[in-house]
Amino acid sequence: TWRLDDGSPPPAKKPFRNATWDPVLRTFRGTVEWDPAFGGNRRWDYEIVFPEDFCAVVGGRVIMDGEGEGSRFEAPWSSGRGLRYL
């Protein structure tokens, strides 16, 4: 069971803040802020890229608390080790 750092359950829905959409690149960007923290993180910055038919997430990343390159999103049919979403 997922829990916030204070032991409470995360909300059923969590809105993105500062959300933007680039229709030419089919790229969504947005931030999720956590208070209390979630897994020691207070901020998740998302970049999510879609293919022309919007059948899946094919690229992007999530960076937690501004650290490093973050976890990369990959196409569900790829052989990499990144995050996959249909």
Side-chain angles (χ1 to χ4, degrees):
T1 305
W2 288 10
R3 296 282 175 195
L4 299 174
D5 287 3
D6 70 352
S8 65
K13 294 182 180 182
K14 189 72 173 160
F16 283 99
R17 297 188 179 271
N18 305 317
T20 63
W21 171 249
D22 183 327
V24 174
L25 298 176
R26 296 175 312 280
T27 300
F28 169 85
R29 290 181 181 88
T31 298
V32 175
E33 295 176 346
W34 297 101
D35 185 22
F38 193 175
N41 298 291
R42 294 201 170 273
R43 178 181 172 127
W44 297 354
D45 293 308
Y46 282 87
E47 178 184 75
I48 304 171
V49 181
F50 298 90
E52 287 184 19
D53 64 1
F54 291 91
C55 69
V57 172
V58 295
R61 63 186 172 174
V62 58
I63 299 174
M64 297 176 182
D65 284 342
E67 292 187 14
E69 291 293 311
S71 297
R72 296 228 172 251
F73 293 110
E74 295 182 3
W77 50 85
S78 74
S79 61
R81 296 180 52 117
L83 301 169
R84 291 180 179 79
Y85 290 89
L86 289 174

